[in-house]
Coordinates of all heavy atoms in Angstrom, one line a residue:
M1 N -11.7 -20.3 -27.8 CA -12.3 -20.3 -26.5 C -13.0 -21.7 -26.3 O -13.8 -22.1 -27.1 CB -13.3 -19.2 -26.3 CG -12.7 -17.8 -26.4 SD -13.7 -16.5 -25.8 CE -14.7 -16.2 -27.3
N2 N -12.6 -22.3 -25.2 CA -13.1 -23.6 -24.9 C -13.9 -23.7 -23.6 O -14.3 -24.7 -23.2 CB -11.9 -24.6 -24.8 CG -11.3 -24.8 -26.1 OD1 -11.9 -24.9 -27.1 ND2 -9.9 -24.7 -26.1
N3 N -14.1 -22.5 -22.9 CA -14.8 -22.5 -21.7 C -14.2 -23.3 -20.6 O -14.8 -23.8 -19.7 CB -16.3 -22.9 -21.9 CG -17.0 -21.8 -22.7 OD1 -16.8 -20.6 -22.5 ND2 -17.9 -22.3 -23.6
V4 N -12.8 -23.4 -20.6 CA -12.1 -24.1 -19.6 C -12.2 -23.3 -18.3 O -11.9 -22.1 -18.3 CB -10.6 -24.4 -20.0 CG1 -9.8 -25.0 -18.8 CG2 -10.6 -25.2 -21.2
S5 N -12.6 -23.9 -17.2 CA -12.7 -23.2 -15.9 C -11.8 -23.8 -14.9 O -11.6 -23.2 -13.8 CB -14.2 -23.3 -15.4 OG -14.6 -24.6 -15.2
K6 N -11.2 -24.9 -15.1 CA -10.3 -25.6 -14.1 C -9.3 -26.4 -14.9 O -9.6 -27.0 -15.9 CB -11.1 -26.5 -13.2 CG -10.2 -27.1 -12.1 CD -11.1 -27.2 -10.8 CE -10.3 -27.8 -9.7 NZ -9.3 -26.9 -9.1
V7 N -8.0 -26.4 -14.4 CA -7.0 -27.2 -15.0 C -6.4 -28.1 -13.9 O -6.1 -27.6 -12.8 CB -5.9 -26.3 -15.6 CG1 -4.7 -27.1 -16.1 CG2 -6.4 -25.4 -16.7
A8 N -6.3 -29.4 -14.2 CA -5.8 -30.3 -13.2 C -4.3 -30.2 -13.1 O -3.6 -29.9 -14.0 CB -6.2 -31.7 -13.6
V9 N -3.8 -30.6 -11.9 CA -2.4 -30.7 -11.6 C -1.8 -31.7 -12.6 O -2.4 -32.8 -12.9 CB -2.1 -31.1 -10.2 CG1 -0.6 -31.4 -9.9 CG2 -2.6 -30.1 -9.2
N10 N -0.7 -31.4 -13.2 CA 0.0 -32.3 -14.2 C -0.8 -32.4 -15.5 O -0.5 -33.4 -16.2 CB 0.3 -33.7 -13.6 CG 1.2 -33.6 -12.4 OD1 2.2 -32.8 -12.4 ND2 1.0 -34.4 -11.4
A11 N -1.6 -31.5 -15.8 CA -2.4 -31.6 -17.1 C -1.5 -31.3 -18.2 O -1.7 -31.8 -19.3 CB -3.5 -30.5 -17.1
F12 N -0.3 -30.6 -18.0 CA 0.6 -30.4 -19.1 C 1.9 -31.0 -18.7 O 2.4 -30.9 -17.6 CB 0.8 -28.8 -19.3 CG -0.5 -28.1 -19.6 CD1 -1.2 -27.5 -18.6 CD2 -1.0 -28.1 -20.9 CE1 -2.4 -26.8 -18.9 CE2 -2.2 -27.4 -21.2 CZ -2.9 -26.8 -20.2
S13 N 2.6 -31.6 -19.7 CA 3.9 -32.2 -19.5 C 4.8 -32.1 -20.7 O 4.3 -31.8 -21.8 CB 3.8 -33.7 -19.1 OG 3.2 -34.4 -20.1
G14 N 6.1 -32.2 -20.5 CA 7.0 -32.2 -21.6 C 7.3 -30.8 -22.2 O 7.8 -30.6 -23.3
L15 N 6.9 -29.8 -21.4 CA 7.1 -28.4 -21.8 C 8.3 -27.8 -21.1 O 8.7 -28.2 -20.0 CB 5.9 -27.5 -21.5 CG 4.6 -28.0 -22.2 CD1 3.4 -27.2 -21.6 CD2 4.7 -27.8 -23.7
G16 N 9.0 -26.9 -21.8 CA 10.2 -26.2 -21.2 C 10.3 -24.8 -21.7 O 9.4 -24.2 -22.3
A17 N 11.5 -24.3 -21.4 CA 11.8 -22.9 -21.7 C 11.4 -22.6 -23.2 O 11.8 -23.3 -24.1 CB 13.3 -22.6 -21.5
G18 N 10.7 -21.5 -23.3 CA 10.3 -21.0 -24.7 C 9.0 -21.6 -25.1 O 8.4 -21.1 -26.1
D19 N 8.5 -22.6 -24.4 CA 7.1 -23.1 -24.8 C 6.1 -22.2 -24.2 O 6.3 -21.5 -23.2 CB 7.0 -24.5 -24.3 CG 7.8 -25.5 -25.0 OD1 8.1 -25.3 -26.2 OD2 8.2 -26.5 -24.4
G20 N 4.9 -22.3 -24.7 CA 3.8 -21.5 -24.2 C 2.5 -22.3 -24.1 O 2.3 -23.2 -24.9
I21 N 1.7 -21.9 -23.1 CA 0.3 -22.5 -23.0 C -0.6 -21.4 -23.2 O -0.6 -20.4 -22.6 CB 0.1 -23.1 -21.6 CG1 1.1 -24.3 -21.4 CG2 -1.3 -23.6 -21.4 CD1 1.1 -24.9 -20.0
F22 N -1.5 -21.6 -24.2 CA -2.5 -20.6 -24.6 C -3.8 -20.9 -24.1 O -4.5 -21.8 -24.6 CB -2.5 -20.5 -26.2 CG -1.2 -20.0 -26.7 CD1 -0.1 -20.8 -27.0 CD2 -1.0 -18.6 -27.0 CE1 1.1 -20.4 -27.4 CE2 0.2 -18.2 -27.5 CZ 1.3 -19.1 -27.7
M23 N -4.2 -20.2 -23.0 CA -5.5 -20.5 -22.4 C -6.4 -19.2 -22.5 O -7.3 -19.0 -21.7 CB -5.3 -20.8 -20.9 CG -4.6 -22.1 -20.7 SD -5.5 -23.6 -21.2 CE -6.8 -23.6 -20.1
W24 N -6.2 -18.4 -23.6 CA -6.9 -17.2 -23.8 C -8.4 -17.4 -23.9 O -8.8 -18.3 -24.6 CB -6.3 -16.4 -25.0 CG -6.7 -15.0 -25.0 CD1 -5.9 -14.0 -24.5 CD2 -7.8 -14.4 -25.5 NE1 -6.5 -12.8 -24.6 CE2 -7.8 -13.0 -25.2 CE3 -9.0 -14.9 -26.1 CZ2 -8.8 -12.1 -25.6 CZ3 -10.0 -14.0 -26.4 CH2 -9.8 -12.6 -26.2
G25 N -9.1 -16.5 -23.3 CA -10.6 -16.5 -23.5 C -11.3 -17.6 -23.0 O -12.3 -18.1 -23.5
N26 N -10.9 -18.2 -21.8 CA -11.6 -19.2 -21.2 C -12.3 -18.7 -20.0 O -12.6 -17.5 -19.9 CB -10.6 -20.4 -20.9 CG -10.3 -21.2 -22.1 OD1 -11.1 -22.0 -22.6 ND2 -9.1 -21.0 -22.6
Q27 N -12.6 -19.6 -19.0 CA -13.3 -19.2 -17.8 C -12.6 -19.4 -16.5 O -13.1 -19.7 -15.5 CB -14.7 -20.0 -17.7 CG -15.6 -19.7 -18.9 CD -16.0 -18.2 -18.9 OE1 -16.3 -17.6 -17.9 NE2 -16.0 -17.6 -20.1
L28 N -11.2 -19.3 -16.6 CA -10.4 -19.5 -15.4 C -10.6 -18.3 -14.5 O -10.5 -17.1 -14.9 CB -8.9 -19.6 -15.8 CG -8.5 -20.8 -16.7 CD1 -7.1 -20.6 -17.2 CD2 -8.7 -22.0 -15.9
T29 N -10.8 -18.6 -13.2 CA -11.0 -17.5 -12.2 C -9.8 -17.5 -11.3 O -9.6 -16.5 -10.6 CB -12.3 -17.7 -11.4 OG1 -12.2 -19.0 -10.8 CG2 -13.5 -17.6 -12.3
V30 N -9.0 -18.5 -11.2 CA -7.8 -18.6 -10.4 C -6.6 -19.2 -11.1 O -6.8 -19.9 -12.1 CB -8.1 -19.4 -9.1 CG1 -9.1 -18.8 -8.2 CG2 -8.4 -20.9 -9.4
I31 N -5.5 -18.7 -10.7 CA -4.2 -19.3 -11.2 C -3.6 -20.1 -10.1 O -2.9 -19.6 -9.2 CB -3.2 -18.2 -11.7 CG1 -3.9 -17.2 -12.7 CG2 -2.0 -18.8 -12.3 CD1 -3.1 -16.0 -13.0
E32 N -4.0 -21.4 -10.0 CA -3.6 -22.2 -8.9 C -2.1 -22.5 -8.9 O -1.6 -23.0 -9.9 CB -4.5 -23.5 -9.0 CG -5.9 -23.2 -8.8 CD -6.8 -24.4 -9.1 OE1 -6.6 -25.0 -10.2 OE2 -7.6 -24.8 -8.3
E33 N -1.5 -22.2 -7.7 CA -0.1 -22.4 -7.6 C 0.3 -23.9 -7.9 O 1.3 -24.1 -8.6 CB 0.3 -22.0 -6.2 CG 1.8 -22.0 -6.0 CD 2.3 -21.4 -4.7 OE1 1.4 -21.0 -3.9 OE2 3.5 -21.3 -4.5
E34 N -0.4 -24.8 -7.4 CA 0.0 -26.2 -7.6 C -0.1 -26.7 -9.0 O 0.6 -27.6 -9.5 CB -0.8 -27.2 -6.7 CG -2.3 -27.1 -6.9 CD -3.0 -26.1 -6.1 OE1 -2.4 -25.2 -5.5 OE2 -4.3 -26.1 -6.1
V35 N -0.9 -26.0 -9.8 CA -1.0 -26.3 -11.3 C 0.0 -25.6 -12.1 O 0.7 -26.2 -12.9 CB -2.4 -25.9 -11.8 CG1 -2.5 -26.1 -13.3 CG2 -3.5 -26.7 -11.1
W36 N 0.2 -24.3 -11.9 CA 1.0 -23.5 -12.8 C 2.4 -23.3 -12.3 O 3.3 -23.0 -13.2 CB 0.3 -22.1 -13.0 CG -1.1 -22.3 -13.5 CD1 -2.3 -22.2 -12.8 CD2 -1.4 -22.7 -14.8 NE1 -3.3 -22.4 -13.7 CE2 -2.9 -22.8 -14.9 CE3 -0.7 -23.1 -16.0 CZ2 -3.5 -23.2 -16.1 CZ3 -1.4 -23.4 -17.1 CH2 -2.8 -23.5 -17.2
Q37 N 2.7 -23.3 -11.0 CA 4.1 -23.1 -10.6 C 5.1 -24.0 -11.2 O 6.2 -23.6 -11.7 CB 4.2 -23.1 -9.1 CG 5.6 -22.8 -8.6 CD 5.8 -22.9 -7.1 OE1 5.4 -23.9 -6.5 NE2 6.4 -21.9 -6.5
P38 N 4.9 -25.3 -11.3 CA 5.9 -26.2 -12.0 C 6.2 -25.8 -13.4 O 7.4 -25.9 -13.8 CB 5.2 -27.6 -11.9 CG 4.3 -27.5 -10.8 CD 3.8 -26.1 -10.8
L39 N 5.2 -25.3 -14.1 CA 5.4 -24.8 -15.5 C 6.2 -23.5 -15.5 O 7.2 -23.4 -16.3 CB 4.1 -24.7 -16.2 CG 3.3 -26.0 -16.4 CD1 1.8 -25.7 -16.6 CD2 3.9 -26.8 -17.5
L40 N 5.9 -22.6 -14.6 CA 6.7 -21.4 -14.6 C 8.1 -21.6 -14.1 O 9.0 -21.0 -14.6 CB 6.0 -20.4 -13.6 CG 4.6 -19.9 -14.1 CD1 3.9 -19.1 -13.0 CD2 4.7 -19.1 -15.4
L41 N 8.3 -22.6 -13.3 CA 9.7 -22.9 -12.9 C 10.5 -23.5 -14.0 O 11.7 -23.3 -14.1 CB 9.7 -24.0 -11.7 CG 9.3 -23.4 -10.4 CD1 9.0 -24.6 -9.4 CD2 10.3 -22.4 -9.8
D42 N 9.8 -24.0 -15.0 CA 10.5 -24.5 -16.2 C 10.5 -23.5 -17.4 O 10.7 -23.8 -18.5 CB 9.8 -25.8 -16.7 CG 10.1 -27.0 -15.9 OD1 11.1 -27.0 -15.2 OD2 9.3 -28.0 -15.9
D43 N 10.2 -22.2 -17.0 CA 10.2 -21.1 -18.0 C 9.1 -21.2 -19.1 O 9.4 -20.8 -20.2 CB 11.6 -20.9 -18.5 CG 12.5 -20.4 -17.5 OD1 12.1 -19.6 -16.6 OD2 13.7 -20.8 -17.5
V44 N 8.0 -21.8 -18.8 CA 6.9 -21.9 -19.8 C 6.1 -20.7 -19.7 O 5.8 -20.2 -18.6 CB 6.0 -23.2 -19.5 CG1 4.8 -23.2 -20.4 CG2 6.8 -24.4 -19.6
Q45 N 5.8 -20.1 -20.8 CA 5.0 -18.8 -20.8 C 3.5 -19.2 -20.8 O 3.0 -20.1 -21.4 CB 5.3 -18.0 -22.1 CG 6.7 -17.5 -22.1 CD 7.0 -16.8 -23.4 OE1 6.6 -17.2 -24.5 NE2 7.7 -15.7 -23.2
L46 N 2.7 -18.4 -20.0 CA 1.3 -18.5 -19.9 C 0.6 -17.4 -20.6 O 0.9 -16.2 -20.3 CB 0.9 -18.7 -18.5 CG 1.5 -19.8 -17.6 CD1 1.0 -19.7 -16.2 CD2 1.3 -21.1 -18.3
F47 N -0.4 -17.7 -21.4 CA -1.2 -16.7 -22.1 C -2.6 -16.9 -21.6 O -3.3 -17.8 -22.0 CB -1.1 -16.9 -23.6 CG 0.3 -16.7 -24.2 CD1 1.2 -17.8 -24.2 CD2 0.7 -15.5 -24.6 CE1 2.5 -17.6 -24.7 CE2 2.0 -15.3 -25.1 CZ 2.9 -16.3 -25.1
L48 N -3.0 -16.0 -20.6 CA -4.2 -16.2 -19.9 C -5.2 -15.0 -20.1 O -6.2 -14.9 -19.3 CB -3.9 -16.3 -18.4 CG -2.9 -17.5 -18.0 CD1 -2.6 -17.4 -16.5 CD2 -3.6 -18.8 -18.3
G49 N -4.9 -14.2 -21.1 CA -5.8 -13.0 -21.3 C -7.3 -13.5 -21.6 O -7.5 -14.6 -22.0
G50 N -8.2 -12.6 -21.3 CA -9.6 -12.9 -21.6 C -10.3 -13.9 -20.6 O -11.3 -14.5 -20.9
N51 N -9.6 -14.1 -19.5 CA -10.2 -15.0 -18.4 C -10.7 -14.1 -17.3 O -10.1 -13.1 -17.0 CB -9.2 -16.0 -17.9 CG -9.0 -17.1 -18.8 OD1 -9.8 -18.0 -18.9 ND2 -7.9 -17.1 -19.6
P52 N -11.8 -14.4 -16.6 CA -12.3 -13.6 -15.4 C -11.5 -13.9 -14.2 O -12.0 -14.4 -13.2 CB -13.7 -14.0 -15.3 CG -13.7 -15.4 -15.8 CD -12.7 -15.5 -16.9
L53 N -10.2 -13.6 -14.2 CA -9.3 -14.0 -13.0 C -9.6 -13.2 -11.8 O -9.7 -11.9 -11.8 CB -7.9 -13.8 -13.4 CG -7.3 -14.7 -14.5 CD1 -5.9 -14.3 -15.0 CD2 -7.3 -16.2 -14.1
F54 N -9.7 -13.8 -10.7 CA -9.8 -13.2 -9.4 C -8.4 -12.9 -8.9 O -7.5 -13.7 -9.0 CB -10.5 -14.1 -8.4 CG -10.5 -13.5 -7.0 CD1 -11.3 -12.5 -6.7 CD2 -9.7 -14.1 -6.0 CE1 -11.4 -11.9 -5.4 CE2 -9.8 -13.5 -4.7 CZ -10.6 -12.5 -4.4
C55 N -8.1 -11.6 -8.6 CA -6.8 -11.2 -8.3 C -6.6 -10.9 -6.8 O -6.1 -9.8 -6.4 CB -6.4 -10.0 -9.2 SG -6.3 -10.5 -10.9
G56 N -7.0 -11.8 -5.9 CA -6.9 -11.6 -4.5 C -5.5 -12.2 -4.1 O -4.6 -12.4 -4.9
C57 N -5.4 -12.5 -2.8 CA -4.2 -13.1 -2.2 C -3.8 -14.4 -2.9 O -2.6 -14.8 -2.8 CB -4.4 -13.2 -0.7 SG -4.4 -11.7 0.2
D58 N -4.7 -15.1 -3.5 CA -4.3 -16.3 -4.2 C -3.3 -16.2 -5.3 O -2.7 -17.2 -5.7 CB -5.6 -17.0 -4.7 CG -6.4 -16.2 -5.7 OD1 -6.5 -15.0 -5.5 OD2 -6.8 -16.8 -6.7
I59 N -3.1 -15.0 -5.8 CA -2.1 -14.8 -6.8 C -0.9 -14.0 -6.3 O 0.0 -13.7 -7.1 CB -2.6 -14.0 -8.1 CG1 -3.1 -12.6 -7.7 CG2 -3.7 -14.9 -8.8 CD1 -3.2 -11.8 -8.9
A60 N -0.8 -13.9 -5.0 CA 0.4 -13.2 -4.4 C 1.7 -13.9 -4.9 O 2.7 -13.3 -5.1 CB 0.3 -13.2 -2.9
W61 N 1.6 -15.3 -5.0 CA 2.8 -16.0 -5.4 C 3.4 -15.6 -6.7 O 4.6 -15.8 -7.0 CB 2.5 -17.5 -5.3 CG 1.6 -18.1 -6.3 CD1 0.2 -18.0 -6.2 CD2 1.9 -18.7 -7.5 NE1 -0.3 -18.6 -7.4 CE2 0.7 -19.0 -8.2 CE3 3.1 -19.0 -8.2 CZ2 0.6 -19.6 -9.4 CZ3 3.0 -19.6 -9.4 CH2 1.8 -19.9 -10.0
I62 N 2.5 -15.1 -7.6 CA 2.9 -14.6 -8.9 C 3.4 -13.1 -8.8 O 4.5 -12.8 -9.3 CB 1.8 -14.7 -9.9 CG1 1.5 -16.2 -10.2 CG2 2.2 -14.1 -11.3 CD1 0.3 -16.4 -11.0
V63 N 2.6 -12.3 -8.2 CA 2.8 -10.9 -8.2 C 4.1 -10.6 -7.4 O 4.8 -9.7 -7.8 CB 1.6 -10.1 -7.5 CG1 1.9 -8.7 -7.3 CG2 0.4 -10.3 -8.3
L64 N 4.5 -11.4 -6.4 CA 5.7 -11.2 -5.6 C 6.9 -11.9 -6.2 O 8.0 -11.8 -5.7 CB 5.4 -11.7 -4.2 CG 4.4 -10.9 -3.4 CD1 4.1 -11.5 -2.1 CD2 4.7 -9.4 -3.3
N65 N 6.7 -12.5 -7.4 CA 7.9 -13.2 -8.0 C 8.0 -12.6 -9.4 O 7.3 -13.0 -10.4 CB 7.6 -14.7 -8.1 CG 8.8 -15.4 -8.6 OD1 9.5 -15.0 -9.6 ND2 9.1 -16.6 -8.0
P66 N 8.9 -11.6 -9.6 CA 9.1 -11.0 -10.9 C 9.4 -12.0 -12.1 O 8.9 -11.8 -13.2 CB 10.3 -10.0 -10.7 CG 10.4 -9.8 -9.3 CD 9.9 -11.1 -8.6
T67 N 10.1 -13.1 -11.8 CA 10.4 -14.1 -12.8 C 9.1 -14.7 -13.3 O 8.9 -14.8 -14.5 CB 11.3 -15.1 -12.3 OG1 12.5 -14.5 -11.9 CG2 11.6 -16.2 -13.3
F68 N 8.2 -15.1 -12.4 CA 6.9 -15.7 -12.7 C 6.1 -14.7 -13.5 O 5.5 -15.0 -14.5 CB 6.2 -16.2 -11.5 CG 6.8 -17.4 -10.9 CD1 6.3 -17.8 -9.6 CD2 7.8 -18.2 -11.5 CE1 6.8 -18.9 -9.0 CE2 8.3 -19.3 -10.9 CZ 7.8 -19.7 -9.7
L69 N 6.0 -13.4 -13.0 CA 5.2 -12.4 -13.6 C 5.6 -12.1 -15.0 O 4.8 -11.9 -15.9 CB 5.2 -11.1 -12.7 CG 4.2 -10.1 -13.0 CD1 2.8 -10.7 -12.9 CD2 4.3 -8.9 -12.1
N70 N 6.9 -12.2 -15.3 CA 7.4 -12.0 -16.6 C 7.0 -13.1 -17.6 O 7.1 -12.9 -18.8 CB 8.9 -11.8 -16.6 CG 9.3 -10.4 -16.1 OD1 8.6 -9.5 -16.2 ND2 10.5 -10.3 -15.5
L71 N 6.7 -14.2 -17.1 CA 6.3 -15.4 -17.9 C 4.8 -15.4 -18.2 O 4.3 -16.2 -19.0 CB 6.7 -16.7 -17.3 CG 8.2 -17.0 -17.2 CD1 8.5 -18.1 -16.3 CD2 8.7 -17.3 -18.6
I72 N 4.0 -14.5 -17.6 CA 2.6 -14.4 -17.9 C 2.4 -13.2 -18.9 O 2.9 -12.1 -18.7 CB 1.8 -14.2 -16.6 CG1 2.2 -15.3 -15.7 CG2 0.4 -14.0 -16.9 CD1 1.2 -15.7 -14.7
A73 N 1.7 -13.5 -19.9 CA 1.5 -12.5 -21.0 C 1.0 -11.2 -20.4 O 0.2 -11.1 -19.5 CB 0.5 -13.0 -22.0
S74 N 1.6 -10.1 -20.9 CA 1.3 -8.8 -20.3 C -0.1 -8.3 -20.5 O -0.5 -7.3 -19.9 CB 2.3 -7.8 -20.9 OG 2.1 -7.7 -22.3
D75 N -0.9 -9.0 -21.4 CA -2.3 -8.6 -21.6 C -3.2 -9.3 -20.7 O -4.5 -9.2 -20.8 CB -2.7 -8.7 -23.1 CG -2.7 -10.2 -23.5 OD1 -2.2 -11.1 -22.8 OD2 -3.3 -10.5 -24.6
T76 N -2.7 -10.1 -19.7 CA -3.5 -10.8 -18.8 C -4.1 -9.9 -17.8 O -3.4 -9.1 -17.2 CB -2.7 -11.9 -18.1 OG1 -2.1 -12.8 -19.0 CG2 -3.6 -12.7 -17.1
T77 N -5.5 -9.9 -17.7 CA -6.2 -9.0 -16.8 C -6.9 -9.7 -15.7 O -7.3 -10.9 -15.8 CB -7.2 -8.1 -17.5 OG1 -8.1 -9.0 -18.2 CG2 -6.5 -7.2 -18.5
C78 N -7.2 -9.0 -14.6 CA -8.1 -9.5 -13.6 C -9.5 -9.3 -14.1 O -9.8 -8.6 -15.1 CB -7.9 -8.7 -12.3 SG -6.2 -8.6 -11.7
A79 N -10.5 -9.9 -13.4 CA -11.9 -9.8 -13.8 C -12.3 -8.3 -13.8 O -13.2 -7.9 -14.5 CB -12.8 -10.6 -12.9
T80 N -11.6 -7.5 -13.0 CA -11.9 -6.1 -12.9 C -11.4 -5.3 -14.0 O -11.6 -4.1 -14.1 CB -11.3 -5.5 -11.6 OG1 -9.9 -5.7 -11.6 CG2 -11.9 -6.2 -10.3
G81 N -10.5 -5.9 -14.9 CA -9.9 -5.2 -16.0 C -8.5 -4.7 -15.7 O -7.8 -4.3 -16.7
E82 N -8.1 -4.8 -14.5 CA -6.7 -4.4 -14.2 C -5.7 -5.4 -14.7 O -5.9 -6.6 -14.5 CB -6.6 -4.2 -12.7 CG -5.3 -3.6 -12.2 CD -5.3 -3.2 -10.8 OE1 -6.2 -3.6 -10.0 OE2 -4.3 -2.5 -10.4
L83 N -4.6 -4.9 -15.3 CA -3.6 -5.8 -15.8 C -2.8 -6.4 -14.6 O -2.5 -5.7 -13.7 CB -2.6 -5.0 -16.7 CG -3.1 -4.6 -18.0 CD1 -2.2 -3.6 -18.6 CD2 -3.3 -5.8 -19.0
L84 N -2.5 -7.7 -14.7 CA -1.7 -8.4 -13.7 C -0.4 -7.6 -13.5 O 0.1 -7.5 -12.4 CB -1.4 -9.8 -14.1 CG -2.0 -10.9 -13.2 CD1 -3.5 -10.9 -13.2 CD2 -1.5 -12.2 -13.6
V85 N 0.3 -7.2 -14.6 CA 1.6 -6.5 -14.5 C 1.5 -5.2 -13.8 O 2.5 -4.7 -13.3 CB 2.2 -6.3 -15.9 CG1 2.5 -7.7 -16.5 CG2 1.4 -5.5 -16.8
D86 N 0.3 -4.7 -13.6 CA 0.1 -3.4 -12.9 C -0.3 -3.5 -11.5 O -0.4 -2.5 -10.8 CB -1.0 -2.5 -13.6 CG -0.5 -2.0 -15.0 OD1 0.7 -2.0 -15.2 OD2 -1.4 -1.6 -15.8
L87 N -0.4 -4.8 -11.0 CA -0.8 -5.0 -9.6 C 0.4 -4.6 -8.7 O 1.5 -4.8 -9.0 CB -1.2 -6.4 -9.4 CG -2.5 -6.9 -10.1 CD1 -2.7 -8.4 -9.9 CD2 -3.7 -6.1 -9.7
D88 N 0.0 -4.0 -7.6 CA 1.0 -3.5 -6.6 C 1.6 -4.6 -5.7 O 0.8 -5.0 -4.8 CB 0.4 -2.3 -5.8 CG 1.4 -1.7 -4.9 OD1 2.6 -2.0 -4.9 OD2 0.9 -0.8 -4.1
P89 N 2.8 -5.0 -5.9 CA 3.4 -6.0 -5.0 C 3.3 -5.6 -3.5 O 3.2 -6.5 -2.7 CB 4.8 -6.1 -5.5 CG 4.9 -5.6 -6.8 CD 3.8 -4.5 -6.9
T90 N 3.5 -4.4 -3.2 CA 3.4 -3.9 -1.8 C 2.1 -4.3 -1.2 O 2.0 -4.7 0.0 CB 3.7 -2.4 -1.7 OG1 4.9 -2.1 -2.4 CG2 3.7 -1.9 -0.3
F91 N 1.0 -4.2 -1.9 CA -0.3 -4.5 -1.4 C -0.3 -6.0 -1.0 O -0.8 -6.4 0.1 CB -1.4 -4.3 -2.4 CG -2.7 -4.9 -2.0 CD1 -3.6 -4.2 -1.2 CD2 -3.1 -6.1 -2.4 CE1 -4.8 -4.7 -0.8 CE2 -4.3 -6.7 -2.0 CZ -5.2 -6.0 -1.2
Y92 N 0.3 -6.8 -1.8 CA 0.3 -8.3 -1.6 C 1.2 -8.6 -0.4 O 1.0 -9.5 0.4 CB 0.6 -9.1 -2.8 CG -0.5 -9.0 -3.8 CD1 -0.6 -8.0 -4.8 CD2 -1.5 -9.9 -3.8 CE1 -1.7 -7.9 -5.6 CE2 -2.6 -9.9 -4.7 CZ -2.7 -8.8 -5.6 OH -3.7 -8.8 -6.5
E93 N 2.3 -7.9 -0.3 CA 3.3 -8.1 0.8 C 2.6 -7.8 2.1 O 2.8 -8.5 3.1 CB 4.5 -7.3 0.6 CG 5.4 -7.7 -0.4 CD 6.6 -6.7 -0.7 OE1 6.6 -5.6 -0.2 OE2 7.5 -7.1 -1.5
E94 N 1.9 -6.7 2.2 CA 1.3 -6.2 3.4 C 0.0 -6.9 3.8 O -0.4 -6.9 5.0 CB 1.0 -4.7 3.3 CG 2.4 -3.9 3.2 CD 2.2 -2.4 3.0 OE1 1.0 -2.0 2.8 OE2 3.2 -1.7 3.0
N95 N -0.8 -7.4 2.8 CA -2.1 -7.9 3.1 C -2.3 -9.4 2.9 O -3.4 -9.9 3.2 CB -3.1 -7.1 2.2 CG -3.1 -5.7 2.6 OD1 -3.6 -5.3 3.6 ND2 -2.6 -4.8 1.7
C96 N -1.3 -10.1 2.4 CA -1.6 -11.5 2.1 C -0.6 -12.4 2.8 O 0.4 -12.1 3.3 CB -1.4 -11.7 0.6 SG -2.6 -10.8 -0.4

């Protein structure tokens, strides 16, 4: 745990399919699309468990994309304790 609360765009480079970024147990509250989408497009796995993630409309881009959702570790939870993999895509389609 490093208490990371923000990650800059292009903070990670040279990663590809099968690689992983381990950010477990930090202070991330958002999964910013401009930071993480390029990595997910390259099939990089994200390990984000133990972060107080806000799971509002800002993560619809993940919840509505099964490929992206599969690249996020299944133990990743929202600050409320709900697993990302258990979030209802229909809610995000209708409300975001």
Side-chain angles (χ1 to χ4, degrees):
M1 294 195 279
N2 295 313
N3 293 319
V4 174
S5 60
K6 184 147 179 75
V7 176
V9 174
N10 298 319
F12 302 99
S13 63
L15 300 171
D19 290 329
I21 297 175
F22 296 84
M23 297 294 291
W24 198 92
N26 283 285
Q27 297 300 314
L28 296 172
T29 57
V30 293
I31 306 174
E32 296 168 308
E33 186 171 3
E34 60 273 10
V35 172
W36 302 107
Q37 185 184 46
L39 295 159
L40 293 171
L41 287 170
D42 286 338
D43 293 322
V44 174
Q45 295 179 316
L46 302 180
F47 298 87
L48 303 171
N51 284 282
L53 296 171
F54 176 70
C55 293
C57 288
D58 59 316
I59 64 160
W61 68 276
I62 295 172
V63 175
L64 295 174
N65 186 320
T67 301
F68 290 169
L69 195 56
N70 284 333
L71 289 167
I72 302 209
S74 61
D75 66 347
T76 302
T77 60
C78 304
T80 59
E82 190 170 10
L83 291 167
L84 244 63
V85 296
D86 288 343
L87 295 175
D88 182 5
T90 304
F91 171 84
Y92 290 88
E93 288 172 350
E94 293 175 355
N95 296 292
C96 298

